[in-house]
Amino acid sequence: MTAQLNPCGDVAVLVPAAGAGVRLGPGRPKALRLLAGEPLLVHAVRRLAEAPSVHSIVVAAPVAEVAAVGELLAPIAPVTVVPGGAERQASVAAALAAVPAGPGIVLVHDAARALTPPALVESVAAAVRAGHDAVIPVLPVVDTIKEVDADEKVLGTVDRAALRAVQTPQGFRRAVLAAAHAAAADALTDDAGLVEKLGVPVHCVPGSEHALKITRPFDLALAEHLLATGR
């Protein structure tokens, strides 16, 4: 059954899904790799559509897969699919240009974070709604971090107390994200990084362990275990 997005919602979600995902090994584009029998993108969009504030979802797909992705997602939610670019920044910009009038909050979400709970989507959107121009979900860094040189020689130990691992969705006032992409000179993989270059403060909210990024075969196995155990 197709989920009904909220026509009164104030949130649009962009999903750049045109990447190859080479670290997962050879095969289809990353967002179309299977997790428990369904593409990562299907899992991600299903959870986005369950977030009550979401008005619209725009997916930037591989150019050759636009029609196929549209058919794939049609039973999940009324999603707009546009051709993605060669780099993530170009895909986000293309998706942003396709957002309909209305939503003043725009979230950018990686399809590879396929198990992100709808509650995290709402938490990020609420922080933007509360007055923050840019919001990112984060987790504390738990591993010891070493700074090394080109020869793998340790230069020192980094104080992890001030470090955070960043997740998605990242949230922005629509005008702020549009300005950041209009001014983009580098193909950054982090939209908050583009906003930082404008001098806009970025606010952090607690992330979720379930919003892990599926990048390697081990991550895929972990995500399958989480699904199988209902977590």
Side-chain angles (χ1 to χ4, degrees):
M1 180 177 178
T2 303
Q4 296 301 311
L5 303 180
N6 183 359
C8 298
D10 59 353
V11 176
V13 187
L14 316 181
V15 186
V22 294
R23 284 174 290 182
L24 265 179
R28 300 198 72 190
K30 183 177 183 178
L32 301 180
R33 304 293 180 93
L34 297 184
L35 167 62
E38 292 184 305
L40 296 177
L41 183 59
V42 167
H43 288 278
V45 168
R46 182 181 292 124
R47 286 160 177 77
L48 292 172
E50 291 174 359
S53 295
V54 173
H55 172 281
S56 49
I57 300 171
V58 183
V59 173
V63 174
E65 303 277 359
V66 170
V69 168
E71 293 176 4
L72 178 70
L73 297 177
I76 309 301
V79 174
T80 299
V81 183
V82 300
E87 303 289 345
R88 184 181 186 280
Q89 188 270 322
S91 291
V92 174
L96 181 59
V99 173
I105 298 171
V106 177
L107 309 188
V108 184
H109 186 53
D110 294 331
R113 299 187 187 274
L115 303 187
T116 298
L120 184 59
V121 176
E122 289 298 303
S123 176
V124 172
V128 178
R129 200 176 291 120
H132 298 288
D133 287 334
V135 177
I136 56 175
V138 300
L139 292 176
V141 174
V142 296
D143 292 321
T144 297
I145 305 296
K146 300 285 187 181
E147 181 184 4
V148 301
D149 64 15
D151 297 319
E152 297 298 318
K153 178 182 177 181
V154 172
L155 300 177
T157 303
V158 180
D159 181 6
R160 68 186 180 198
L163 300 179
R164 298 292 183 271
V166 180
Q167 301 179 318
T168 69
Q170 298 183 357
F172 310 90
R173 279 201 307 110
R174 183 172 181 167
V176 169
L177 185 62
H181 277 272
D186 303 311
L188 295 183
T189 59
D190 176 70
D191 294 276
L194 293 178
V195 170
E196 289 164 26
K197 287 180 175 291
L198 295 182
V200 175
V202 177
H203 179 71
C204 297
V205 298
S208 168
E209 297 284 358
H210 286 81
L212 73 157
K213 188 175 185 180
I214 300 171
T215 301
R216 305 158 298 167
F218 175 81
D219 305 323
L220 196 59
L222 176 57
E224 288 182 347
H225 173 73
L226 291 172
L227 279 175
T229 56
R231 297 179 184 176

